Amino acid sequence: MVKVKICIGTSCHLSGAQSVIASFRHLIEENNLQDKISLEGAFCMRKCENEGVAVSVNDEIFHVKAAEARKFFRENILPLTEA
């Protein structure tokens, strides 16, 4: 199971966390990956750098801009479901 956590703290919320969540949810459903990806919100991950929304994938933290959420999912999360 791929564990994905998206920060919904104030800074990340203002950086587009809701949009990232919506994109990831859509892609999970579109690819029928509900049984392979755990998606949840998390409060501050202490990685507030205004470089995008803090996203943890199997405990590795990335910064994802809302406009690049689909690309990030395809490149960094989707391959983990095929392993």
Side-chain angles (χ1 to χ4, degrees):
M1 174 82 58
V2 180
K3 294 182 183 181
V4 179
K5 295 180 184 179
I6 301 171
C7 181
I8 54 173
T10 303
S11 179
C12 289
H13 174 74
L14 294 173
S15 293
Q18 295 304 320
S19 179
V20 173
I21 291 169
S23 292
F24 285 8
R25 277 188 184 154
H26 176 76
L27 289 163
I28 289 168
E29 290 176 17
E30 183 179 274
N31 291 284
N32 197 27
L33 296 170
Q34 296 87 337
D35 61 332
K36 293 187 176 186
I37 298 175
S38 166
L39 179 65
E40 57 187 72
F43 286 101
C44 191
M45 295 181 188
R46 307 264 184 246
K47 296 292 181 182
C48 304
E49 297 175 8
N50 293 326
E51 294 178 23
V53 178
V55 174
S56 169
V57 179
N58 291 339
D59 297 322
E60 184 177 353
I61 298 178
F62 301 87
H63 288 93
V64 180
K65 295 183 190 242
E68 298 172 1
R70 294 179 69 81
K71 178 181 177 189
F72 177 85
F73 185 93
R74 279 190 236 105
E75 292 178 357
N76 296 281
I77 299 173
L78 193 57
L80 297 174
T81 66
E82 298 166 358

